[in-house]
Amino acid sequence: QADERPDTRDGFVELDREIQAIKEDILAINRDILLLEELSLYPYGEQLVVLVSLAANSPLNPGRITLQLDGQTVSQHAYSASEGVALRAGGAHRLYFGRLGEGEHTLDVSLVGRVARDKAFEARRSVTITKVAGRKTVELELGSVDDSSESGVTIREWQQ
């Protein structure tokens, strides 16, 4: 029996490696399926992606953000403390991903949160975007608009 234990242990170690490799393959296949599903639901030429980021050294702690597209609410998100920390560390949040036809569209952003000294903050921005064939990405940068203590939403857009 003492001679069988090392062989058995080696067998379990090898079996564990094979199971881990299978798990990695399954995750890769699942990732591919999700990408294909996303492309079938949202063809590349009609995609709109809206990202939220936080300006460097911004005193803003985001609370809730609401996104309207052509007068319809398409996304709302309440930020947790850990999500605020992630934004502060340079992360970005994908607030919206969907279909958008070509032409001009109105994008309305409403933000509530807190600034330094726990003072309540509220901002609204509206912008007209023009969608052409291809993926359109819009970044909502939360934070200082200029060097003053006023915070707001800066909207950047690019077409891919």
Side-chain angles (χ1 to χ4, degrees):
Q1 285 183 346
D3 292 337
E4 292 177 6
R5 286 186 181 176
D7 292 337
T8 305
R9 188 175 306 129
D10 290 343
F12 282 129
V13 168
E14 182 60 31
L15 184 60
D16 186 51
R17 282 190 201 124
E18 290 176 17
I19 290 171
Q20 292 303 321
I22 291 169
K23 284 181 181 179
E24 288 175 15
D25 289 344
I26 290 171
L27 289 173
I29 290 168
N30 187 45
R31 204 171 21 252
D32 292 343
I33 289 171
L34 289 174
L35 286 173
L36 288 171
E37 185 178 83
E38 196 172 84
L39 282 174
S40 69
L41 290 173
Y42 309 107
Y44 185 78
E46 298 177 4
Q47 291 178 2
L48 173 66
V49 180
V50 179
L51 304 172
V52 176
S53 64
L54 193 60
N57 301 319
S58 173
L60 181 65
N61 291 314
R64 174 178 284 291
I65 192 165
T66 302
L67 179 68
Q68 289 187 337
L69 188 57
D70 295 329
Q72 298 290 320
T73 300
V74 293
S75 184
Q76 292 184 9
H77 187 76
Y79 289 96
S80 67
S82 61
E83 289 171 323
V85 169
L87 287 174
R88 194 166 265 75
H93 169 234
R94 186 168 81 172
L95 180 65
Y96 177 74
F97 179 79
R99 265 186 150 156
L100 185 64
E102 293 182 26
E104 288 193 349
H105 301 275
T106 304
L107 192 68
D108 296 301
V109 179
S110 177
L111 170 70
V112 294
R114 301 225 172 256
V115 289
R117 296 176 299 278
D118 216 25
K119 179 179 162 191
F121 169 78
E122 203 170 319
R124 293 182 190 279
R125 284 288 312 268
S126 184
V127 65
T128 299
I129 60 172
T130 302
K131 175 74 172 74
V132 296
R135 175 186 276 184
K136 176 85 160 183
T137 303
V138 176
E139 179 186 6
L140 310 174
E141 185 182 67
L142 312 178
S144 297
V145 180
D146 53 29
D147 292 334
S148 71
S149 62
E150 292 296 315
S151 296
V153 179
T154 302
I155 298 175
R156 293 187 190 93
E157 56 182 286
W158 57 93
Q159 189 78 34
Q160 297 171 331

